[in-house]
Amino acid sequence: MQKMLVGLFDPPEGNPWAKLGLDDMNSSHSQQVAHEAALQSFVLLKNEKGTLPLKLGSNVAVVGTLATTASLYNSDYAVAGMPPNSPSIADAVTALNHKHGGVTVSAPGVTQVGADYDISGATDSLALVAAADATVLVLGITKKDEHEGIDRANTLLPAAQETYAKQ
């Protein structure tokens, strides 16, 4: 039904998507729209003790499986032409915090090795968290967890990441 609603089965001449070509992919306009959508997608469930916004110029730890490697954000459908060398979340927080005299440290804590997770770095990254004024925890699934032909039965974090988050 969703494909019908967006016109996927309509005649091409009446479908606005059919007019898009390679020049429309990753254009400045497309990047701006994607950026605005990303900014609007965040949901703050609680802001206890005025945690957000983070205080610039403070000691921040950015940790988690997806904290330091931007390539993990790409889906199965990422193709040539995707922005190369995109900054990771740790890179972006570091750049902004450093401008204001802050110190940002980062570590994955839990790394993905194939379909499994290695938790050997958890203790070291938790020490960074303990010493920080604020922590940005970046977790989620990658295309190693779910991809074309491999679906997950639920939307829960992988067990190793959930355990890490609770620590």
Side-chain angles (χ1 to χ4, degrees), residues 19-58:
K19 296 176 184 136
L20 298 175
L22 289 177
D23 292 340
D24 299 303
M25 293 179 63
N26 202 28
S27 66
S28 296
H29 175 70
S30 296
Q31 289 180 15
Q32 180 64 32
V33 169
H35 179 75
E36 289 173 14
L39 291 175
Q40 294 175 28
S41 70
F42 291 96
V43 176
L44 177 61
L45 300 177
K46 287 184 179 180
N47 191 16
E48 291 180 359
K49 302 176 187 173
T51 303
L52 297 176
L54 292 177
K55 293 173 183 65
L56 295 175
S58 60

Side-chain angles (χ1 to χ4, degrees), residues 22-111:
L22 289 177
D23 292 340
D24 299 303
M25 293 179 63
N26 202 28
S27 66
S28 296
H29 175 70
S30 296
Q31 289 180 15
Q32 180 64 32
V33 169
H35 179 75
E36 289 173 14
L39 291 175
Q40 294 175 28
S41 70
F42 291 96
V43 176
L44 177 61
L45 300 177
K46 287 184 179 180
N47 191 16
E48 291 180 359
K49 302 176 187 173
T51 303
L52 297 176
L54 292 177
K55 293 173 183 65
L56 295 175
S58 60
N59 182 6
V60 179
V62 183
V63 298
T65 306
L66 301 177
T68 60
T69 309
S71 63
L72 294 175
Y73 311 148
N74 293 337
S75 73
D76 280 1
Y77 304 105
V79 294
M82 294 293 285
N85 303 320
S86 296
S88 68
I89 292 174
D91 294 334
V93 171
T94 299
L96 185 59
N97 196 31
H98 182 73
K99 283 182 188 177
H100 297 275
V103 175
T104 305
V105 293
S106 60
V110 177
T111 54

